Amino acid sequence: MNLTKSDFTVARTCGAKLYYKKLHYPSLNDDNPYLEFLADGGYMVETMAKLLFADGKELGNWAEPDKAFEETRLLLEAGDGTFFEATVVHNGLLARIDILRRVGNTLQIIEVKSSSVDSEADGQNPFRGKKGGIPSEWRPYLEDVTFQTIVLGLAFPQFKVVPFLCVVDKAKSATANATYDKFRLRQINDGWRPEVDYDGNVDELRKSHVLAIIDVSGEVLELKANVESEAARFAATLQSNPISRIAPEIGKKCKRCEYRLPLGQTEKNGFHDCWGKLAEPAPHILDLFRVDMLGGKNNDLVAQFALQGKAKLSDVSTELLSGAFAPRQNLQLECSAAGRESMSPILKEILSSHPFPLHFIDFEGSRLAIPYHAGMRPYEQSSFQWSCHSILNSGGKIEHTEWLNTEDAFPNFAFAQTLKDQIGNGGTVYIWSHYEMDILREIRCQMDKYGHANAELAHWIDNPTTRGNPRVVDLCTLAQEHYFHPSMKGSVSIKYVLPSVWMADTNLRANPLFEKYVKTDSAGTLLNPYATLPPLPIGEEEEVVNEGTGAMRVYQEMMFGRAKNDEALRNGYKRLLLQYCELDTAAMVAIWMHWMNGAK
Ligand code: SF4
């Protein structure tokens, strides 16, 4: 078995994961919609990069690496050229290189990433911090290109190897030939990755794109010795049959391990293989809120507990808790032990002090490497939808309003204007986390940048986005400070808080506002409202949107994909988006009502 560059990157996060990856253990990353969404964006960036090289030749044969390497060898020996996805193998190491160029006696590696730099703001070298070191966020990418440089250098010692990273440059604006709609993903039946068709003017794209290709020879030189020895260590575990596993070092890092699947759900479970019996306690010590800070940032108390055979949440004593997260952690320990929810007595008092009307708002938007519209910069926000539930007065009517962009134009100013028209300047604005205010602040900056002159709108945005404005109340902060339910475990995400209050409060389920979300599964178990959103017929299939990534994907399909010129499909996608965003603000109202009703 060869060690590939992606194997190397995974093994750098934890050696034991290499074993699980090679043996195809089930992982939370399998069918992860967010990772798939990011990967799709990555394929588009890669396509843009390849289009910059008119002489590029795509190589294939993914299934037979030795044959693919032979093809690479023959092409490189034949003379200068540019090759996409060239395979290079040496002594159990395998590199598949995005763009490989032979220029005389030099081989250039161009590794394409959809991460971004800002060539105006980052200074001379974006891959170096203020003190000259390599920042942790760039290290995995630079180690990846170092790995390839090593393999290529070993396989072709007669050449000099020069490594480059090709990344997205946020200082550049997209022209009409460098926008999202020009790149169309196409699934190939027997392929493991989609192909991307380009539908713009290639000559114009080459003159004006949003990429930066940066020489990283210095960084690679610095990382080379370490990457070389680690690659050799990892590759050695793949040479035996069966392959061997690097001894797991269990600890707090395991909280976010992609192999931490619920026990009993799959035949193979990497987390269970690493932790053994210590994987089984429920609630588990890893469920503690901000367990990464338990005992201090640079201390791993979870690892120390595991050495003593302890992994229950209740093994954590309150004397160990300190710092800003201690009150929340204490509350979690206390309520988990008692199996009850907790609500501060002052929570209702706080909520009661907020003036009517109460507006519960939620936004949907995307931030893509290749922007939707010409003139936008990479990763600039596009806000395409809002939902608002309003309680007009105490015990009074609840109104739902919404807005979804359907015009093929930059949507943010219409987004802000329609929201302003809806919620005006009176009453209270409830949000869940700071996301909504961050988006409004960004739109305010875009007004200046794009010359959108509208003093009234600018003034309106300046008001709620002024930090400390009492009109805006973050329910997530209130949840963190005043509310806990054992089923939330260590999370204050609305996706955890809603199901907790939903299961706890029969009054909510009896409220006509939430009637459509009261459903049970075939065994009669009450469903989480997010699981009740009905799939809708889209063409010949049925689809459902119940998380933010799905909303972004469906919006793109509606605006730029197969639904662009198909009214029926478009309407189907619109309904999917509207029903999802409506539930997010209905969820906030449900939580607010539960808090006003008091703990059960
Ligand atoms: S459970 Fe922990 S030790 Fe095991 S693979 Fe995951 S991160 Fe590594």
Side-chain angles (χ1 to χ4, degrees):
M1 244 186 223
N2 291 312
L3 181 82
T4 66
K5 60 178 186 177
S6 65
D7 294 340
F8 177 82
T9 306
V10 165
R12 286 292 275 169
T13 64
C14 171
K17 287 183 188 174
L18 176 59
Y19 179 85
Y20 303 135
K21 178 173 186 282
K22 288 308 227 186
L23 296 186
H24 305 292
Y25 271 53
S27 153
L28 294 170
N29 292 347
D30 301 338
D31 304 320
N32 178 318
Y34 183 61
L35 293 181
E36 281 172 15
F37 185 80
L38 290 182
D40 287 351
Y43 297 136
M44 292 184 184
V45 172
E46 198 178 278
T47 301
M48 185 184 282
K50 288 176 178 174
L51 286 167
L52 303 185
F53 298 92
D55 63 334
K57 176 177 165 36
E58 190 87 33
L59 308 186
N61 210 348
W62 299 80
E64 296 178 285
D66 291 331
K67 277 192 187 162
F69 176 40
E70 183 57 13
E71 185 185 12
T72 305
R73 195 180 61 73
L74 292 173
L75 286 166
L76 288 182
E77 283 173 4
D80 287 2
T82 302
F83 312 104
F84 304 145
E85 309 300 341
T87 300
V88 181
V89 184
H90 185 87
N91 256 356
L93 306 178
L94 185 153
R96 193 160 279 126
I97 299 168
D98 291 339
I99 302 172
L100 173 62
R101 306 188 74 208
R102 178 181 168 181
V103 184
N105 291 328
T106 298
L107 297 181
Q108 298 178 347
I109 290 176
I110 303 174
E111 169 65 14
V112 185
K113 297 287 181 203
S114 54
S115 302
S116 63
V117 297
D118 186 325
S119 58
E120 283 170 6
D122 289 346
Q124 288 250 307
N125 186 344
F127 307 125
R128 295 283 180 176
K130 283 200 178 87
K131 294 182 181 164
I134 294 174
S136 57
E137 67 269 25
W138 284 111
R139 183 167 280 266
Y141 304 128
L142 291 162
E143 287 192 350
D144 180 337
V145 74
T146 304
F147 177 88
Q148 297 174 58
T149 305
I150 291 168
V151 182
L152 192 64
L154 288 170
F156 297 97
Q158 67 275 35
F159 289 98
K160 178 184 175 199
V161 180
V162 183
F164 295 84
L165 262 188
C166 173
V167 288
V168 174
D169 187 353
K170 289 201 286 188
K172 295 179 178 173
S173 297
T175 54
N177 288 291
T179 48
Y180 174 87
D181 57 319
K182 299 291 182 297
F183 297 83
R184 184 67 43 83
L185 258 71
R186 188 163 39 85
Q187 292 297 337
I188 307 294
N189 278 346
D190 54 353
W192 64 273
R193 53 186 267 161
E195 301 230 323
V196 182
D197 298 326
Y198 178 66
D199 188 22
N201 182 321
V202 183
D203 293 332
E204 290 302 318
L205 178 73
R206 286 181 188 138
K207 283 186 232 157
S208 180
H209 52 81
V210 292
L211 303 178
I213 298 178
I214 303 167
D215 187 333
V216 289
S217 300
E219 289 69 33
V220 166
L221 190 64
E222 186 176 321
L223 296 169
K224 200 171 171 193
N226 182 255
V227 170
E228 211 156 30
S229 66
E230 285 295 89
R233 182 167 75 95
F234 300 146
T237 67
L238 305 180
Q239 298 313 308
S240 53
N241 189 8
I243 64 170
S244 56
R245 186 183 68 171
I246 292 170
E249 291 174 16
I250 60 176
K252 60 186 181 183
K253 69 168 191 241
C254 303
K255 182 177 176 108
R256 308 240 170 264
C257 177
E258 61 268 36
Y259 294 103
R260 191 182 173 208
L261 274 80
L263 300 185
Q265 201 178 69
T266 50
E267 200 188 317
K268 295 195 280 191
N269 184 306
F271 180 72
H272 192 269
D273 283 8
C274 286
W275 282 68
K277 279 268 169 215
L278 293 180
E280 292 167 16
H284 197 273
I285 190 169
L286 291 173
D287 294 331
L288 181 69
F289 179 71
R290 291 306 304 261
V291 72
D292 55 313
M293 300 304 285
L294 180 63
K297 197 177 168 192
N298 300 318
N299 202 2
D300 196 340
L301 274 192
V302 175
Q304 292 174 31
F305 271 67
L307 281 175
Q308 299 162 27
K310 296 180 191 167
K312 296 200 290 274
L313 181 68
S314 57
D315 287 328
V316 180
S317 61
T318 51
E319 303 85 70
L320 290 170
L321 307 178
S322 62
F325 304 113
R328 178 83 192 159
Q329 291 170 327
N330 257 313
L331 185 66
Q332 182 179 3
L333 293 183
E334 192 187 308
C335 294
S336 297
R340 61 167 175 82
E341 72 173 339
S342 165
M343 210 181 281
S344 305
I346 57 163
L347 182 54
K348 184 172 177 177
E349 210 177 296
I350 294 171
L351 296 176
S352 303
S353 71
H354 299 148
F356 286 89
L358 310 177
H359 300 294
F360 301 79
I361 60 168
D362 181 68
F363 301 168
E364 301 298 330
S366 347
R367 206 179 271 286
L368 298 188
I370 299 182
Y372 292 144
H373 305 286
M376 286 178 74
R377 295 184 180 200
Y379 293 111
E380 201 174 335
Q381 175 71 20
S382 186
S383 300
F384 56 79
Q385 181 179 13
W386 58 256
S387 169
C388 175
H389 272 87
S390 303
I391 304 179
L392 303 180
N393 47 53
S394 179
K397 200 175 145 212
I398 300 180
E399 213 175 55
H400 176 244
T401 47
E402 59 200 352
W403 179 85
L404 172 65
N405 179 54
T406 52
E407 302 295 318
D408 186 9
F410 182 64
N412 291 15
F413 304 136
F415 171 98
Q417 183 65 50
T418 50
L419 184 70
K420 170 186 174 293
D421 295 344
Q422 179 57 33
I423 67 176
N425 290 306
T428 303
V429 177
Y430 285 123
I431 52 177
W432 196 279
S433 91
H434 47 81
Y435 173 77
E436 275 66 28
M437 290 306 116
D438 291 347
I439 293 303
L440 286 178
R441 273 183 209 106
E442 193 170 335
I443 293 176
R444 179 68 186 81
C445 293
Q446 287 169 329
M447 289 181 72
D448 292 341
K449 181 181 140 194
Y450 291 115
H452 185 80
N454 184 331
E456 208 180 315
L457 181 63
H459 179 69
W460 178 80
I461 297 178
D462 285 340
N463 184 306
T465 55
T466 302
R467 288 182 207 280
N469 183 334
R471 188 189 177 208
V472 179
V473 179
D474 184 354
L475 292 176
C476 181
T477 304
L478 291 182
Q480 187 166 321
E481 291 171 357
H482 301 285
Y483 181 70
F484 180 79
H485 189 286
S487 63
M488 288 161 58
K489 298 185 178 170
S491 174
V492 282
S493 154
I494 197 167
K495 300 290 191 290
Y496 278 81
V497 181
L498 175 67
S500 300
V501 305
W502 187 246
M503 303 298 166
D505 194 334
T506 47
N507 289 339
L508 282 183
R509 305 196 296 270
N511 189 319
L513 181 68
F514 308 119
E515 206 173 17
K516 59 187 171 189
Y517 304 119
V518 183
K519 289 184 187 166
T520 53
D521 65 13
S522 54
T525 310
L526 186 65
L527 287 171
N528 170 354
Y530 283 99
T532 66
L533 291 174
L536 296 175
I538 303 290
E540 290 169 3
E541 293 156 15
E542 285 206 320
E543 287 198 37
V544 68
V545 170
N546 52 21
E547 38 75 43
T549 307
M552 291 189 271
R553 190 178 51 76
V554 159
Y555 176 71
Q556 288 172 184
E557 264 318 299
M558 179 180 89
M559 296 298 292
F560 313 106
R562 59 190 179 133
K564 186 175 179 184
N565 300 313
D566 183 327
E567 196 58 26
L569 269 186
R570 215 172 153 82
N571 285 336
Y573 282 134
K574 265 167 81 171
R575 284 167 59 208
L576 281 176
L577 286 165
L578 293 174
Q579 72 177 17
Y580 167 64
C581 200
E582 178 185 353
L583 175 53
D584 267 343
T585 49
M588 292 163 75
V589 177
I591 293 164
W592 178 88
M593 283 181 170
H594 179 65
W595 290 348
M596 289 297 282
N597 289 342
K600 296 287 165 295

